[in-house]
Amino acid sequence: RRPLLLGAKTSQEEREKFRPVLAEVARKFFFVCMDIAGVAKTVRIRIEENKVDITDEKLREQLVRQCKVFERLGGIQSEG
């Protein structure tokens, strides 16, 4: 059995303590995702205008790397 976190005495208490923390992480990451969605929309328009041949998967990989998605999520997780 794993140790309980946040000073919780039961797994139920642990979940109750984590819920607001996870809600805040989700709220902050939502705004990161909204920002990236705007970038993706602009990029897709430019791709269509310039008739660039790129797969959705490749575009997704580039957006993740260039928008530093995982770094931004890590920054949110390490706050507070």
Side-chain angles (χ1 to χ4, degrees):
R1 207 179 144 178
R2 69 172 177 74
L4 298 172
L5 303 174
L6 299 175
K9 294 180 180 27
T10 66
S11 58
Q12 177 65 30
E13 182 183 359
E14 182 183 52
R15 281 191 296 275
E16 289 171 8
K17 288 184 175 197
F18 265 117
R19 191 169 285 125
V21 173
L22 293 175
E24 183 64 11
V25 168
R27 185 190 70 77
K28 289 179 179 180
F29 193 59
F30 171 81
F31 291 106
V32 169
C33 293
M34 290 297 292
D35 180 45
I36 294 167
V39 170
K41 184 176 181 179
T42 301
V43 169
R44 284 188 183 276
I45 290 169
R46 289 190 180 145
I47 286 172
E48 288 176 13
E49 288 174 350
N50 295 314
K51 297 178 181 21
V52 175
D53 186 28
I54 186 170
T55 64
D56 282 345
E57 184 63 31
K58 190 68 173 172
L59 176 59
R60 191 174 302 115
E61 289 172 11
Q62 288 183 6
L63 286 170
V64 165
R65 188 175 52 255
Q66 292 176 359
C67 293
K68 300 180 186 217
V69 174
F70 295 113
E71 292 87 345
R72 292 168 78 177
L73 177 58
I76 291 169
Q77 291 173 326
S78 66
E79 291 175 5

